[in-house]
Amino acid sequence: MIQEFTWFGNIPPEVGLLSHLKFLYVDSNQLDGSIPPEVGQLSSLVELFLFSNNLNGSVPPLGNLTHISLLYIRENSFSGFIPPVIGNLKSMSILDLSNNQFSGPIPVSFGNLANLKKLDLFYNNLSGSIPPSLGNSMLTLVGLDFNHFTSYLPHNICRGGALQYFIVSENHFQGTIPKSLRNCTSLIRVRLNGNNLTGNISEALGIYPNLTFIDLSRNNFYGEISSNWGKCPKLGTLNVSMNSITGGIPREIGNMSQLQALDLSLNHIVGEIPKELGKLNSLTKLILRGNQLTGRLPTEIGSLIELEYLDFSANRFNNSVPEILGNLLKLHYLGLSNNQFVQELPKELEKLVQLSELDASHNHFGGEIPFQICSLKSLEKLNLSHNNLFGSIPNCFEEMRGLSVIDISDNQLQGPVPNSTAFRNASVEALEGNKGLCGRCERNATMQSFLVT
């Protein structure tokens, strides 16, 4: 065994003389250069750890390493094709080539690795299709994300029923979700996001008792959100954003007691928000923007006291914003824009002392800007544009030292503009279209072009 040294420079070719060496651990050093061919002669080697160095070049023939079980060469600068001979190393159980510059396809010979449990190839320049024979292994982890793969995902990828981590995001995969995934109850984490996948999302997936994370965003999936998600008791993140999902939000989602992040944004979801969402006590992020949701916001949303990010923007919500949103004391972001909200902004929002951004633009809010908004000492960005707000701007805005961006354009505001950084730095477009703002105009030449004095 070789380990616990700080190695610099090249790997010496003399290492090939250690014919009985079983374990070579020289990871997390400052090695550079290429792997000497002599390493391929270490026929007794069982574990080879070269990760987190500055090694480069191509990987030499390793066909004589017939006993090797663990091969970690991630986080280097290796390039060229992956040697097909690796597929003959039938004792291999973990193969990690991630975070390099490998190109070309996955060798078809990888289908011979019957004992392979974990395959990590993410963050390379690999391309082509995935060998269908890869499903012959009892894989528990497949990491292929951030490459240039095309074609279809192998439909038998979970044929062995052991797959736990299936990470293939940020590629160019097309076709449908592998059929074997529907009944793959071993799954823990799935990332299919950022591909060209399609298919009916309600038919392609099943019930997963161990699943904690799934991201299906930025694909071409259609269909409705299945009520089966409510039967995934450990699920912490569900992201189906930027697809073509239709139908409503099933009330069964309220049964997902461990859910922390729910992103349904930029789809075609209709109907009202079910009140059952108020049971998601662990939720920290709820993103529903860019759908066709209607009706009132349910008051049960006020029970989600762990929320930090809440986005209802670009829907068709109407009526007033419920006062109980003031209970969401951990909110950092609140998006209400591009809806049909009416009446006044609730004064109870003053309790959101951690809020850094509030966007209530493009609605029908009326009344005056509540002076309680000045209690939001963490607020950095405020957009109240394109509403029916009238009266004067509260002077207390001058005390909001952290506010840096403001937009109050296209309202019916009048009177003096506060002398604060946000207003002094505001563009013409952020203040124009009001009834008659005035005062301190000489401090900002841009104001003189549109403010009525």
Side-chain angles (χ1 to χ4, degrees):
M1 177 185 296
I2 296 179
Q3 67 175 150
E4 296 182 357
F5 288 94
T6 300
W7 287 46
F8 301 86
N10 298 341
I11 299 174
E14 289 79 8
V15 72
L17 300 175
L18 305 173
S19 58
H20 299 291
L21 187 66
K22 292 185 176 182
F23 307 99
L24 178 55
Y25 302 146
V26 289
D27 56 277
S28 305
N29 281 285
Q30 299 181 39
L31 294 170
D32 53 29
S34 59
I35 300 176
E38 288 80 0
V39 170
Q41 304 303 315
L42 298 174
S43 57
S44 298
L45 204 60
V46 176
E47 298 180 6
L48 176 58
F49 288 16
L50 299 177
F51 62 87
S52 299
N53 280 288
N54 301 310
L55 297 167
N56 54 57
S58 58
V59 175
L62 301 174
N64 290 331
L65 307 185
T66 54
H67 295 95
I68 195 162
S69 174
L70 308 182
L71 176 58
Y72 288 92
I73 61 172
R74 67 172 185 263
E75 297 170 4
N76 282 286
S77 299
F78 293 117
S79 58
F81 284 21
I82 298 173
V85 71
I86 291 179
N88 298 331
L89 306 178
K90 296 185 179 180
S91 296
M92 188 81 71
S93 63
I94 298 178
L95 177 59
D96 190 345
L97 311 180
S98 61
N99 273 284
N100 281 287
Q101 300 171 25
F102 289 114
S103 57
I106 297 176
V108 175
S109 60
F110 275 24
N112 300 327
L113 300 174
N115 294 307
L116 191 63
K117 299 294 188 295
K118 297 181 179 181
L119 175 63
D120 258 331
L121 302 176
F122 63 87
Y123 280 109
N124 277 287
N125 297 311
L126 298 168
S127 58
S129 58
I130 309 303
S133 57
L134 206 59
N136 297 336
S137 304
M138 291 291 289
L139 286 163
T140 62
L141 182 149
V142 176
L144 307 178
D145 44 323
F146 292 94
N147 279 284
H148 307 290
F149 292 117
T150 55
S151 192
Y152 304 95
L153 293 167
H155 280 292
N156 62 343
I157 194 65
C158 189
R159 188 175 68 175
L163 190 62
Q164 297 178 338
Y165 300 89
F166 189 53
I167 316 296
V168 297
S169 53
E170 307 301 334
N171 281 284
H172 307 289
F173 288 117
Q174 55 185 297
T176 58
I177 294 175
K179 294 178 180 179
S180 59
L181 288 190
R182 179 171 175 81
N183 298 313
C184 191
T185 56
S186 55
L187 285 172
I188 295 175
R189 190 174 181 91
V190 176
R191 296 201 73 132
L192 306 181
N193 51 293
N195 283 287
N196 299 312
L197 297 169
T198 187
N200 191 324
I201 199 171
S202 58
E203 298 175 355
L205 298 167
I207 299 172
Y208 306 101
N210 301 301
L211 190 67
T212 63
F213 182 103
I214 185 164
D215 189 345
L216 307 174
S217 65
R218 291 181 292 122
N219 280 287
N220 301 309
F221 294 123
Y222 55 88
E224 300 186 3
I225 301 171
S226 173
S227 60
N228 282 339
W229 291 117
K231 300 176 183 178
C232 300
K234 297 182 181 180
L235 193 58
T237 295
L238 173 60
N239 188 346
V240 298
S241 64
M242 298 182 70
N243 282 285
S244 297
I245 309 301
T246 55
I249 301 174
R251 61 173 55 94
E252 288 82 1
I253 282 186
N255 297 329
M256 302 165 68
S257 59
Q258 300 300 309
L259 196 65
Q260 295 180 339
L262 177 61
D263 191 346
L264 309 181
S265 62
L266 299 170
N267 282 288
H268 307 290
I269 300 171
V270 299
E272 299 186 358
I273 298 176
K275 64 181 181 181
E276 285 79 7
L277 257 63
K279 298 191 296 182
L280 301 175
N281 297 325
S282 299
L283 204 63
T284 62
K285 181 182 293 186
L286 176 59
I287 307 177
L288 302 178
R289 70 183 175 93
N291 283 288
Q292 299 168 30
L293 295 165
T294 57
R296 296 170 174 258
L297 297 182
T299 57
E300 287 79 5
I301 295 292
S303 301
L304 305 178
I305 58 175
E306 298 299 321
L307 274 178
E308 299 175 4
Y309 194 102
L310 179 58
D311 195 349
F312 294 125
S313 60
N315 279 283
R316 300 174 183 173
F317 294 119
N318 54 36
N319 215 282
S320 59
V321 174
E323 298 173 354
I324 201 167
L325 290 190
N327 290 350
L328 308 179
L329 304 182
K330 295 184 179 181
L331 270 188
H332 293 283
Y333 177 88
L334 176 57
L336 304 171
S337 66
N338 290 279
N339 281 287
Q340 300 168 25
F341 292 120
V342 296
Q343 300 184 23
E344 299 181 359
L345 283 167
K347 298 177 176 61
E348 287 74 13
L349 295 183
E350 68 175 329
K351 295 186 289 185
L352 306 181
V353 294
Q354 296 191 47
L355 196 67
S356 61
E357 183 170 354
L358 171 60
D359 189 349
S361 62
H362 293 271
N363 280 287
H364 305 298
F365 287 117
E368 298 184 345
I369 299 176
F371 71 86
Q372 289 88 351
I373 209 166
C374 299
S375 299
L376 304 178
K377 300 301 183 184
S378 298
L379 199 64
E380 299 175 3
K381 297 180 180 180
L382 175 63
N383 193 341
L384 302 177
S385 66
H386 295 85
N387 279 289
N388 299 316
L389 299 170
F390 59 81
S392 60
I393 304 171
N395 289 332
C396 58
F397 269 91
E398 297 185 359
E399 302 170 9
M400 300 181 71
R401 307 299 182 190
L403 187 65
S404 58
V405 178
I406 191 162
D407 190 341
I408 55 171
S409 60
D410 292 286
N411 281 284
Q412 301 178 44
L413 298 167
Q414 57 186 337
V417 174
N419 182 24
S420 68
T421 301
F423 283 97
R424 287 195 300 270
N425 295 336
S427 66
V428 171
E429 292 77 13
L431 300 174
E432 67 185 359
N434 279 286
K435 189 174 181 180
L437 295 175
C438 64
R440 301 191 179 95
C441 300
E442 70 280 359
R443 293 179 178 271
N444 190 335
T446 60
M447 294 184 187
Q448 294 175 354
S449 64
F450 68 92
L451 291 179
V452 179
T453 57

